[in-house]
Amino acid sequence: MSSTQVLIAEIDGLEHATDAATLRLKSRDFFWFSPLLKPQLDDCRAEISVRPHSVDEVMRLASAAARTRTPITVRGGGTGNYGQAVPLKGGIVLDMGALDQVIEVKPAVGTFAAGATMLEIDKALAPHGQELRFYPSTRKQATIGGFVAGGAAGAGSCTWGQLSDAGAVLAVEVVTVEEAPKLLKLEGPDVLKVLHAYGINGIIVSVTVPLAPAHPWAERMIAFDTLEAAARFGQAFTEADGIAKKLVSVFDPRIPPKLGRLGRKVPEGKAAAIIMVVEPQAAAMEDMARAHGGEIVFARDAEGAQMAAFEGKGEVGPLYEYTWNHTTLHALKRDPAITYLQLRFPPDSNLEVMGRLAEHFGDEMLMHLEFQRRFGRATFSALPLVQFTSEARLREIMAETEALGAQVSDPHTYVLNNAGWKRVDAPQPEFKRQADPYSLLNPGKLAE
């Protein structure tokens, strides 16, 4: 009897699949954004996909994996870009999508099963007059467990900061992988044991986060003569604490043509900004944009924006689906030679450093800025589009970027220790030993 057959016998009654089509689908994420990761990970497959429907079933699976020493790669929506949902050593891909319940909602706080998508959570919160503070551009597919395990920021971070900010995640429940699995609840600073740990430190089964009062978010796209003018507006608007905002994204003039129908609304040669602003204050935002030379080229009221997000209705999709790494996705559809980087800028000189990079690289790097608060400071990170020619040149671009004053997180490696500032944040190596004593979780992703 093969090891997979032994495991199947151990998990009798749990939903699972071993057919080639399912294993290919469930063994992939968006690693193909990287021309370096694509050939390395394209052929990686799990031997079995398991889809538990309860915490008890997760614990049964964890026990069986421990007894049979079978590797586990935990998967949410598969929307990450670094191959962290890809099983390097076969074994089990653990699809958490069926654990999608809203467990509890109270004023200003909610607890959700790890497989619940961010969009479905917000739909469930709407009757309570509450919403998630922030979510990724992949809101429709991304699960809250996957976001906590591998995300960092998103729409809403211009107001609420990062997942790593104190209080952004209040509690998580984690199943350990051992013969007799435990269900551990981590609260307060202890959430750092699994936050941004990419599924190597236990199986997250629920997440508790603070909530915000629901706002009527209107959408705008604004054209500017130059990238510098758009960026100055983005900085000023993010710093305007009196105006409630959900999204502030800025694009080099060469990017809008890569954004399909929405991008065609921007006059040729113009930079652009995408904004989500509370509807009663949209006029105040527009006045600020015009003071920076901006022209409103697309406007949608809050009702229309919510219909686009919740019901898929509208001239274009929700505008957040053109921002963050969705920008890269739209560009890749039109130019497969494009890839991207992830950059962090010093808050005190972010505009200056951005200008140096834009001048230095010209057509080789197109700036895409996402404004956010980092530990209380208004700044931006960047997901620039990069013209790919060779690995050697890509490495040179990263080195030159660092020399010009920006920090690079390398999205072209699946080895977490090598990813610059986007490395595993989880402290306490002893927690890995406690939660995964046989090192079965996401093996191969940490350098020895």
Side-chain angles (χ1 to χ4, degrees):
M1 186 180 291
S2 70
S3 60
T4 302
Q5 289 172 321
V6 171
L7 180 70
I8 289 173
E10 291 274 342
I11 61 169
D12 182 51
L14 271 63
E15 182 183 343
H16 64 275
T18 56
D19 63 282
T22 300
L23 294 181
R24 183 180 190 278
L25 177 67
K26 297 298 184 180
S27 298
R28 298 173 67 81
D29 61 13
F30 281 77
F31 64 82
W32 54 268
F33 276 27
S34 166
L36 306 187
L37 290 180
K38 190 175 189 303
Q40 297 177 56
L41 301 179
D42 233 359
D43 295 328
C44 293
R45 299 287 186 276
E47 296 160 85
I48 182 171
S49 171
V50 182
R51 185 176 170 87
H53 290 254
S54 68
V55 174
D56 285 345
E57 289 192 354
V58 173
M59 296 180 81
R60 275 193 61 199
L61 184 280
S63 176
R67 293 195 306 274
T68 59
R69 301 297 194 267
T70 306
I72 301 175
T73 304
V74 185
R75 174 190 177 85
T79 59
N81 306 107
Y82 320 108
Q84 295 311 313
V86 177
L88 297 181
K89 300 188 177 182
I92 302 160
V93 62
L94 180 55
D95 177 2
M96 298 296 287
L99 271 77
D100 59 357
Q101 303 83 7
V102 173
I103 297 171
E104 184 177 44
V105 176
K106 294 180 178 179
V109 64
T111 299
F112 310 97
T117 67
M118 313 288 272
L119 180 60
E120 291 304 316
I121 288 172
D122 267 338
K123 287 181 180 180
L125 291 174
H128 298 272
Q130 300 192 85
E131 65 184 22
L132 292 170
R133 289 185 172 193
F134 50 91
Y135 49 76
S137 65
T138 51
R139 183 189 190 192
K140 188 188 304 182
Q141 300 89 7
T143 64
I144 194 164
F147 188 47
V148 166
S157 288
C158 54
T159 295
W160 297 108
Q162 320 287 301
L163 275 172
S164 53
D165 284 7
V169 180
L170 300 176
V172 292
E173 286 188 308
V174 177
V175 168
T176 64
V177 180
E178 47 192 337
E179 288 87 346
K182 302 179 187 70
L183 179 63
L184 306 178
K185 185 171 185 179
L186 306 177
E187 300 179 273
D190 281 346
V191 301
L192 293 174
K193 294 176 180 178
V194 295
L195 185 68
H196 214 66
Y198 297 94
I200 66 169
N201 269 14
I203 302 169
I204 297 172
V205 293
S206 78
V207 178
T208 301
V209 292
L211 304 175
H215 281 55
W217 297 114
E219 297 174 327
R220 297 289 188 273
M221 194 167 196
I222 310 166
F224 293 86
D225 285 341
T226 65
L227 171 65
E228 291 74 15
R232 285 191 214 99
F233 160 72
Q235 184 72 27
F237 180 54
T238 304
E239 291 174 351
D241 291 336
I243 302 177
K245 59 191 72 69
K246 191 82 170 186
L247 182 66
V248 185
S249 308
V250 164
F251 307 92
D252 178 283
R254 292 158 290 188
I255 291 180
K258 304 179 189 301
L259 299 182
R261 183 182 299 176
L262 179 68
R264 288 195 289 272
K265 297 181 180 297
V266 179
E268 184 177 356
K270 299 273 190 174
I274 288 177
I275 301 296
M276 290 173 66
V277 59
V278 69
E279 191 161 89
Q281 294 183 299
M285 181 279 298
E286 291 179 357
D287 288 342
M288 183 178 290
R290 292 187 185 98
H292 284 82
E295 173 194 0
I296 312 302
V297 295
F298 177 82
R300 184 157 56 188
D301 65 17
E303 182 180 0
Q306 181 159 299
M307 286 180 64
F310 282 16
E311 302 175 33
K313 297 178 180 178
E315 178 188 359
V316 295
L319 294 203
Y320 60 78
E321 289 188 350
Y322 293 86
T323 68
W324 293 88
N325 238 341
H326 257 78
T327 304
T328 313
L329 177 62
H330 286 286
L332 277 167
K333 288 179 180 178
R334 293 161 177 86
D335 184 356
I338 281 175
T339 188
Y340 76 113
L341 288 175
Q342 293 178 305
L343 310 181
R344 181 187 292 177
F345 291 78
D348 292 329
S349 56
N350 55 350
L351 293 168
E352 177 189 345
V353 172
M354 181 215 69
R356 288 203 297 264
L357 291 176
E359 181 178 2
H360 178 79
F361 288 110
D363 289 339
E364 197 171 27
M365 180 186 290
L366 310 184
M367 279 296 157
H368 160 207
L369 312 177
E370 294 293 346
F371 285 81
Q372 57 204 260
R373 290 194 174 272
R374 296 196 60 82
F375 306 107
R377 304 287 300 279
T379 185
F380 52 75
S381 60
L383 296 154
L385 302 181
V386 176
Q387 196 69 33
F388 179 73
T389 53
S390 68
E391 179 175 358
R393 178 55 189 151
L394 188 59
R395 300 294 176 201
E396 290 173 355
I397 289 171
M398 292 188 214
E400 292 168 18
T401 297
E402 293 264 358
L404 289 166
Q407 269 186 298
V408 178
S409 171
D410 182 4
H412 302 283
T413 177
Y414 61 75
V415 180
L416 297 170
N417 316 52
N418 296 343
W421 52 264
K422 200 177 182 71
R423 64 180 66 240
V424 171
D425 293 335
Q428 295 106 342
E430 64 271 19
F431 186 73
K432 168 73 170 173
R433 292 190 288 271
Q434 176 187 352
D436 184 24
Y438 306 116
S439 292
L440 298 173
L441 284 168
N442 212 0
K445 302 296 174 60
L446 289 174
E448 299 295 332

